[in-house]
Amino acid sequence: MNIPKAQVVVYPGSNCDRDALWACKYVGFDAEFIDIHSEIDADLLVLPGGFSYGDYLRVGAVAAREPIAQKIKDFVSRGGLVIGICNGFQILVEMGLLDGALLQNSNGRFICKIVDLEVVDNSTPFTSYFLKGERIKLPIAHGFGRYVKVDDVNVVMKYVEDVNGSDELIAGITNVNKNVFGLMPHPERAMEKVLGSDDGLRVFLSAFNYIKTNGGVRG
């Protein structure tokens, strides 16, 4: 097959798009930026972190209603892989592609630090390079990262200790089909040990290997 292709959606206010693009290219993806009016032509779609539309109304609420939203939903229905990181996670929740809600941190403050996580599910396309129960380190940078459950969800990663008041220490989840992954920590900021951790590398390697092995939606 062709080289797996990734597209990074850049919203007004995104600020982790370049890191996400670099991470995709680093593991072998043919990667490019797209905007809110673009067509989707990818095997992996990345919704990056940032403060889309200044977090007005609710975090991710405006971005979730842009023209590309329906295209993302169609992409998901065809089996395309989507990862939403931090603000991208918030957008996926607002789109209804992931369950739950993301509210202000329990301490009312923006939190920026490296945290310990536990890998709960390594059977997803995004976590096959991890061991179940493995502890890893990823950075967080959010003010509205407190995950609140509204139903049973497929938990992929948990915080080892309470960071932001999230229900059941939840840090990342997938949809039922496991092709949509929302994660508050930033794997794209943990690609090399010099950054404090290279555990994020395996998130992107997992996705790349999954597409190489199983084929992407582009054929």
Side-chain angles (χ1 to χ4, degrees), residues 82-84 89-90 92-93 97-102 120-121 124 126-127 147-158 166-176 178-185:
V82 179
I83 179 172
F89 186 4
Q90 296 161 343
L92 290 174
V93 169
L97 289 173
L98 292 173
D99 292 332
L102 287 154
V120 178
D121 184 357
T124 81
F126 308 94
T127 53
Y147 182 76
V148 177
K149 286 177 59 178
V150 294
D151 209 342
D152 289 336
V153 293
N154 184 58
V155 179
V156 179
M157 292 185 183
K158 287 185 175 184
S166 291
D167 287 354
E168 300 176 13
L169 305 179
I170 293 171
I173 64 172
T174 65
N175 62 342
V176 173
K178 299 188 179 183
N179 64 319
V180 180
F181 181 30
L183 182 67
M184 283 311 298

Side-chain angles (χ1 to χ4, degrees), residues 51-73:
F51 303 91
S52 57
Y53 296 95
D55 284 348
Y56 286 106
L57 300 182
R58 291 186 309 276
V59 289
V62 179
R65 289 155 178 81
E66 286 293 7
I68 199 169
Q70 187 57 52
K71 298 172 186 176
I72 294 173
K73 292 176 182 179

